[in-house]
């Protein structure tokens, strides 16, 4: 249980660092949405670019069992690399945006 709580904290910290960086460089605001009960973490960008509304999902992470599933990473800097730099081992990260037959070759967890 303590490990899952630690993973929650690491994910939130990495997303916050990314959000802080984006707010400095992009038009609009970045926001983190956390569904603690269902272990979903989403980083979105909200705002306006001229007359165009910005409402984009930049990152979606799910915790399934004891693994971190990267469902989507639309950032320029890799969320996966930032999670590794924060101490999460590759065998706890699943690159869910790749089909399973490709995940075998990534060096990360398959499922």
């Amino acid at each position: 249980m303590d490990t899952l709580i630690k993973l929650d904290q690491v994910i939130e910290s990495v997303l916050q660092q990314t959000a802080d960086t984006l707010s400095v460089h992009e038009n609009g605001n970045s926001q983190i949405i956390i569904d603690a009960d269902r272990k979903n973490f989403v980083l979105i960008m909200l705002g306006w670019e001229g007359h165009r509304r910005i409402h984009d999902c930049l990152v979606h992470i799910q915790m399934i069992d004891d693994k971190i599933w990267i469902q989507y990473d639309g950032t320029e800097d890799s969320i996966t690399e930032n999670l590794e730099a924060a101490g999460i081992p590759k065998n706890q990260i699943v690159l869910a945006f790749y089909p399973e037959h490709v995940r075998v070759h990534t060096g990360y967890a398959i499922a």
Side-chain angles (χ1 to χ4, degrees):
M1 188 59 135
D2 289 341
T3 302
L4 293 178
I5 291 171
K6 182 183 176 204
L7 290 176
D8 283 0
Q9 293 169 347
V10 170
I11 293 168
E12 185 174 350
S13 174
V14 166
L15 287 179
Q16 187 60 58
Q17 291 170 5
T18 302
D20 292 346
T21 302
L22 292 171
S23 293
V24 171
H25 298 292
E26 303 287 339
N27 294 331
N29 296 311
S30 55
Q31 294 184 10
I32 299 170
I33 300 170
I34 298 173
D35 178 351
D37 292 337
R38 292 174 186 84
K39 303 291 185 192
N40 277 280
F41 305 80
V42 177
L43 173 61
I44 62 171
M45 179 64 75
L46 295 172
W48 290 92
E49 189 173 85
H51 296 288
R52 188 178 77 86
R53 176 75 171 145
I54 299 169
H55 187 270
D56 296 329
C57 174
L58 298 177
V59 177
H60 178 203
I61 297 172
Q62 263 186 305
M63 285 182 52
I64 301 174
D65 297 325
D66 63 342
K67 301 268 185 351
I68 296 173
W69 287 65
I70 311 294
Q71 299 290 354
Y72 180 75
D73 182 359
T75 62
E76 290 182 20
D77 297 328
S78 169
I79 286 295
T80 305
E81 290 176 10
N82 292 339
L83 288 169
E84 284 183 66
I88 306 298
K90 284 185 169 187
N91 65 2
Q92 279 192 283
I93 299 172
V94 177
L95 303 179
F97 48 84
Y98 290 133
E100 195 169 317
H101 70 277
V102 174
R103 285 186 225 149
V104 173
H105 306 290
T106 63
Y108 292 91
I110 298 169

